Amino acid sequence: MIDGGTSWYEDDDGPTVRPFAVTRGRVRINQGDLDMLTLVRAVHPRANRNGLQWEHNEILQMCVARPLSLVEVSARLDLLLAAVKVLVGDLIDAGALVVQSPARPAPPNPELLQAVLDGVRRL
């Protein structure tokens, strides 16, 4: 017993299913480069979902209302980003999800950075 009368096995011990079990041991995806900011959106929200894993169905359900980034999906499922990439890759291969790569920001303006640095130095 631990202080307060609770047993050690009543504490939260984290996820009960390991990420490699969710992906069936797969660690690579067929879909080029999926960035953590890549947006995914369900294509056919009412498509036949029989034979899909629970996690696949959850991803599709999450992405019906609006596109979500892979990092958001990862957080909502409480799974590692690497595992989510594999699951999302499965759904892309099946034609159930479409992806939109994040826009790459323009490189910073060197003159603006120098002006900020000069302003900080004057403080």
Side-chain angles (χ1 to χ4, degrees), residues 1-78:
M1 294 288 228
I2 300 177
D3 295 339
T6 61
S7 299
W8 64 270
Y9 56 82
E10 293 175 358
D11 292 337
D12 181 23
D13 61 351
T16 57
V17 178
R18 299 290 180 225
F20 67 86
V22 172
T23 63
R24 298 180 182 153
R26 297 172 296 138
V27 293
R28 297 185 188 258
I29 56 173
N30 295 333
Q31 304 300 319
D33 186 30
L34 291 176
D35 188 85
M36 67 187 237
L37 298 178
T38 299
L39 297 175
V40 291
R41 180 176 50 86
V43 176
H44 303 291
R46 291 175 179 71
N48 183 5
R49 296 183 183 182
N50 293 337
L52 293 179
Q53 291 174 225
W54 175 85
E55 292 84 4
H56 287 121
N57 284 316
E58 287 295 309
I59 291 170
L60 288 173
Q61 188 63 37
M62 281 187 246
C63 299
V64 168
R66 66 180 180 90
L68 292 176
S69 68
L70 290 181
V71 73
E72 288 176 286
V73 173
S74 175
R76 290 183 183 191
L77 286 178
D78 195 24

